[in-house]
Amino acid sequence: MAISTDMVKELRDATGVAIMQCKKALEEAGGDIEKAKIILRKQSAAIASKKKDRELGAGIVAAYTHAGGSVVGTVVLLCETDFVAKSDEFKKLAYDVAMHVAAMNPRFLTREDVKDEDLKAAREVFEKEAAVVPEVARKKAVEGKLNAYISEKVILDQPFVKDPSVTVRTLLDSAVQKFGERVELARFERLSVK
């Protein structure tokens, strides 16, 4: 199938990835835009992993205040250069992640940040809930509930509030592909009146 410029433009508008990468993804996907998006997501994870050792020397602090001023989400989003940090797209990404923090109230940045006492307390609750599950499936049920609980609390594992088909980690990985630099969420905070 011939890849038209309109198809490339549509994919670029949807992803923000470079034109040539969009064209290659469309060619690989046989012109299917949704498949091309998946291909680009896979590529972005690989690119992000290659750049994980690069030094982060710039970044931005962004805040989102929910209507009414009762909830605020703030983030520190880092990158390699001031050129990227000062770009409107990077600022928008930081703002969107701050909005996610305000909306989803994550507690941890990574799975490694989850404390043992939090895991122990959650496991006890899930073991009580799983008491009605047959013995052979009980351990698997508890582990499944524990994994789901952790995913709900870890920001990088949460479905992104503006597009639940991607996680925050996937969003940041695609930013690495878009900007050509390592991008990392260093810190977040959520403040609320209640």
Side-chain angles (χ1 to χ4, degrees):
M1 171 181 202
I3 307 300
S4 70
T5 54
D6 289 339
M7 294 168 70
V8 174
K9 182 180 182 331
E10 182 181 343
L11 183 58
R12 175 157 167 71
D13 290 345
T15 62
V17 175
I19 292 171
M20 288 308 294
Q21 288 179 320
C22 289
K23 184 177 181 192
K24 286 178 185 176
L26 281 166
E27 287 170 352
E28 188 178 331
D32 185 326
I33 290 185
E34 292 306 313
K35 286 182 184 176
K37 286 180 184 177
I38 293 168
I39 290 167
L40 289 173
R41 281 189 201 131
K42 287 180 182 177
Q43 289 174 352
S44 65
I47 291 168
S49 122
K50 287 179 186 174
K51 297 183 183 222
K52 68 181 178 186
D53 294 332
R54 288 189 176 180
E55 188 174 326
L56 298 168
I60 188 171
V61 175
Y64 167 81
T65 304
H66 190 63
S70 60
V71 177
V72 174
T74 59
V75 298
V76 177
L77 192 63
L78 302 177
C79 60
E80 296 174 37
T81 64
D82 280 340
F83 178 76
V84 169
K86 292 179 180 180
S87 72
D88 289 339
E89 285 187 71
F90 191 79
K91 290 175 185 176
K92 182 180 181 321
L93 174 65
Y95 180 80
D96 286 347
V97 176
M99 179 191 302
H100 176 89
V101 169
M104 301 302 290
N105 194 17
R107 291 189 48 210
F108 308 103
L109 181 62
T110 66
R111 285 179 175 260
E112 291 76 29
D113 295 335
V114 180
K115 296 176 182 71
D116 288 337
E117 51 268 17
D118 291 324
L119 288 174
K120 184 180 177 188
R123 186 180 298 279
E124 288 174 5
V125 169
F126 297 141
E127 284 173 349
K128 287 178 185 173
E129 289 177 3
V132 297
V133 175
E135 182 79 34
V136 293
R138 192 171 299 154
K139 183 177 180 183
K140 189 174 182 178
V142 170
E143 291 305 316
K145 286 179 176 249
L146 191 60
N147 191 40
Y149 169 78
I150 292 169
S151 292
E152 288 175 8
K153 302 297 180 189
V154 173
I155 188 169
L156 295 176
D157 293 346
Q158 290 179 330
F160 180 51
V161 72
K162 290 176 77 175
D163 180 3
S165 70
V166 298
T167 64
V168 174
R169 182 183 317 274
T170 306
L171 179 73
L172 296 177
D173 285 350
S174 61
V176 171
Q177 186 176 25
K178 183 186 298 184
F179 299 121
E181 291 189 10
R182 180 174 164 214
V183 174
E184 186 175 298
L185 178 61
R187 194 167 158 220
F188 68 89
E189 191 75 36
R190 181 180 188 269
L191 304 172
S192 67
V193 173
K194 295 181 186 180

